[in-house]
Amino acid sequence: MIFATDDKLTVATERNSSEVGRAHGIYVNSTFDGSDLHLLMSLVFTNKEYNGSTLEIQGADKFYQKYREVSVVSGTGIFRLARGYATLETVYLDIPNSNAIIRWNVTVFHY
Ligand SMILES: *[C@@H]1O[C@H](CO)[C@@H](O)[C@H](O)[C@H]1NC(C)=O
Ligand SMILES: *[C@@H]1O[C@H](CO)[C@@H](O)[C@H](O)[C@H]1NC(C)=O
Ligand SMILES: *[C@@H]1O[C@H](CO)[C@@H](O)[C@H](O)[C@H]1NC(C)=O
Ligand SMILES: *[C@@H]1O[C@H](CO)[C@@H](O)[C@H](O)[C@H]1NC(C)=O
């Protein structure tokens, strides 16, 4: 099972929070028991500060855990050669409707 995403990236977790980019990518159901997703994603920024730059995310996403960590493997634009990690926290999860709000804390080194 593969889920393709074009999700809003917002400043905060409220639904009306202002958009700063989009999360384009895929989640792949990567375990036999469905307990883990493999996450491949570009965080594509559209806000003034980072417009057009991206962060490239990859990792095992144990989505049923409230907290998990994935890698920042690279980036483009002002995030060229970025490396780092992101902690993900599930704020809201509605599995039947494939709907969720996730808080991302991203730490990167870039040049
Ligand atoms: C979002 O909505 C809440 C309450 O509905 C309001 O207090 C807040 O100011 C709104 N935020 C934005 C960014 O519009
Ligand atoms: C992943 O696949 C397994 C096995 O088909 C299934 O039981 C599980 O519900 C799937 N998980 C998700 C998140 O779709
Ligand atoms: C971001 O860049 C696009 C394409 O260059 C431009 O159309 C848009 O107005 C820019 N957005 C901001 C917030 O600067
Ligand atoms: C992310 O940062 C916020 C604000 O510092 C903090 O409240 C939250 O616990 C952090 N979440 C994770 C998963 O580290």
Side-chain angles (χ1 to χ4, degrees):
M1 178 116 65
I2 297 176
F3 304 89
T5 68
D6 176 5
D7 292 338
K8 264 180 21 170
L9 285 175
T10 57
V11 173
T13 53
E14 291 73 35
R15 289 187 185 278
N16 61 351
S17 177
S18 52
E19 186 169 320
V20 292
R22 309 289 300 188
H24 295 298
I26 57 175
Y27 290 95
V28 181
N29 186 347
S30 59
T31 49
F32 286 122
D33 66 1
S35 64
D36 204 348
L37 297 173
H38 188 72
L39 172 57
L40 281 172
M41 193 168 272
S42 298
L43 306 182
V44 182
F45 292 96
T46 54
N47 61 336
K48 195 162 185 292
E49 199 174 1
Y50 303 136
N51 196 10
S53 297
T54 68
L55 286 171
E56 305 304 325
I57 309 295
Q58 182 177 10
D61 181 4
K62 296 189 184 308
F63 67 98
Y64 61 89
Q65 296 180 351
K66 187 163 171 66
Y67 298 97
R68 60 271 183 198
E69 184 174 321
V70 293
S71 300
V72 177
V73 293
S74 195
T76 65
I78 73 163
F79 296 122
R80 283 178 181 172
L81 299 175
R83 289 179 73 104
Y85 63 94
T87 51
L88 276 53
E89 175 187 355
T90 302
V91 174
Y92 169 81
L93 181 62
D94 173 8
I95 290 178
N97 294 308
S98 303
N99 201 0
I101 297 173
I102 314 288
R103 176 188 284 144
W104 288 63
N105 287 358
V106 184
T107 303
V108 290
F109 288 119
H110 67 95
Y111 296 91

